[in-house]
Amino acid sequence: MSTPFYVSPQQAMADRAEYARKGIARGRSLVVLQYADGIVFVGENPSRALHKFSEIYDRIGFAAAGKYNEYENLRIGGVRYADLRGYTYDRDDVTARGLANVYAQTLGTIFSSAGEKPYEVELVVAEVGATPDGDQIYRLPHDGSIVDEHGSVAVGGSSEQISSYLDQRHRDGMSLAEALKLAVQALSRDTNGGEREIPAERLEVAVLDRTRPQQRKFKRIVGRQLSRLLEADGAASTPTDAPSDIEEPDGATPAPAETPAEAPEASETTEPPETTGKPESKAPEGKDSDKPDGKGTGK
């Protein structure tokens, strides 16, 4: 009978963490940003049926990267927890902090259990407040730890590179269009430093908008509204470019424009007098001169 190999608990945890990180890195990254009127979720997701972002409760949103079936189970569990707590106590008692604690306990238990593999997921739980100071964003890695974030957070494949990019450029009080453009720029950067274009059809965007009159603040941005927001920054530069494009032809064509204008004027001023003046002046003069001269000489 062979004896099993001994693995220290530290090595076992390191192996499980490496396994979970590799699984999360295979997923597409997503970012969560604060802007003036709330919190925006932006991620690259070509699927229209499988969502990375969803609503948990009135002011609470959920974002996840990794294996879909695993974080979908966590999302459903979070919705059940929020509904039960809000029904038992009060709707205001459902907070992102309480939900993050529940997720942390679940992920930590699964990660430390030797009987099952760790979840290959990384979660973000966000809550929008009445003011920007009341916004809360919590990031939960695979091991169940909780990280309180402010301003911006990225999870998924190249989260470290995206986070450093966002930290340098994100600022408080940004508009939704500015935050959305910054998020797309961060997601479009490759690991080698290059950039690629992400069309609007491959983007999944949602917001927690504190200005909504409804009690539920979560809203998805799709279709024309998303296209308008992505083009909003370009529209600001378009008016400055458009006049320059228009002025160039106008500045290039004044000479041709003046020459046709002068040509008709010359033809109208010179030709009509000549044509009208010749028949008017020569016809009577010719008749008067021909009659006396021709008729006088002929007779």
Side-chain angles (χ1 to χ4, degrees):
M1 182 177 178
S2 61
T3 58
F5 291 102
Y6 172 76
V7 179
S8 64
Q10 183 179 2
Q11 183 63 38
M13 289 298 178
D15 293 341
R16 293 171 68 85
E18 184 67 20
Y19 173 84
R21 280 194 293 266
K22 287 183 178 179
I24 296 170
R26 287 193 291 267
R28 292 185 175 89
S29 302
L30 60 92
V31 298
V32 180
L33 299 174
Q34 286 183 279
Y35 70 102
D37 295 331
I39 301 173
V40 59
F41 304 80
V42 185
E44 184 180 1
N45 185 12
S47 175
R48 286 292 171 262
L50 309 179
H51 296 297
K52 290 177 172 290
F53 316 130
S54 63
E55 178 185 20
I56 297 294
Y57 212 60
D58 296 340
R59 308 177 310 275
I60 302 174
F62 173 91
K67 297 194 70 171
Y68 175 79
N69 63 328
E70 293 179 351
Y71 67 69
E72 181 66 11
N73 290 333
L74 294 172
R75 184 192 69 83
I76 295 174
V79 172
R80 290 174 179 171
Y81 160 82
D83 287 341
L84 180 60
R85 187 171 182 83
Y87 179 78
T88 305
Y89 301 100
D90 188 78
R91 300 185 74 92
D92 293 335
D93 292 333
V94 183
T95 61
R97 182 180 301 173
L99 184 63
N101 288 329
V102 173
Y103 281 144
Q105 294 174 11
T106 304
L107 290 173
T109 302
I110 295 173
F111 180 77
S112 59
S113 175
E116 54 183 326
K117 77 171 189 65
Y119 272 16
E120 304 170 49
V121 296
E122 192 169 6
L123 310 181
V124 175
V125 180
E127 178 181 358
V128 64
T131 61
D133 294 336
D135 295 345
Q136 301 178 21
I137 301 177
Y138 299 100
R139 179 174 62 89
L140 293 96
H142 54 275
D143 58 356
S145 57
I146 302 178
V147 182
D148 186 7
E149 301 284 355
H150 175 75
S152 63
V153 59
V155 297
S158 55
S159 59
E160 295 182 0
Q161 177 184 358
I162 295 175
S163 296
S164 61
Y165 183 86
L166 293 175
D167 292 339
Q168 297 173 1
R169 291 164 177 82
H170 181 267
R171 69 180 189 279
D172 296 336
M174 298 179 69
S175 66
L176 178 58
E178 292 174 344
L180 180 58
K181 183 190 176 186
L182 177 62
V184 174
Q185 288 177 347
L187 292 173
S188 62
R189 296 180 64 85
D190 296 332
T191 55
N192 56 3
E195 292 186 2
R196 57 190 178 89
E197 183 179 358
I198 303 178
E201 295 77 13
R202 296 180 61 87
L203 287 174
E204 181 181 357
V205 181
V207 295
L208 290 170
D209 188 358
R210 68 170 56 89
T211 62
R212 294 191 73 191
Q214 298 91 336
Q215 193 170 14
R216 301 171 62 180
K217 306 302 182 183
F218 185 88
K219 180 180 67 173
R220 296 189 183 276
I221 299 179
V222 296
R224 295 181 179 178
Q225 185 181 8
L226 178 58
S227 300
R228 286 196 299 268
L229 288 172
L230 291 174
E231 296 172 358
D233 186 81
S237 61
T238 306
T240 58
D241 297 336
S244 63
D245 295 338
I246 296 172
E247 288 171 3
E248 287 177 2
D250 290 344
T253 56
E258 289 174 2
T259 50
E262 291 175 358
E265 287 175 2
S267 62
E268 287 175 2
T269 54
T270 56
E271 291 178 1
E274 289 177 358
T275 53
T276 54
K278 288 181 181 178
E280 286 177 1
S281 60
K282 289 184 179 180
E285 288 176 1
K287 289 179 182 178
D288 295 340
S289 60
D290 291 339
K291 283 180 183 178
D293 293 340
K295 289 183 181 180
T297 54
K299 289 179 179 180

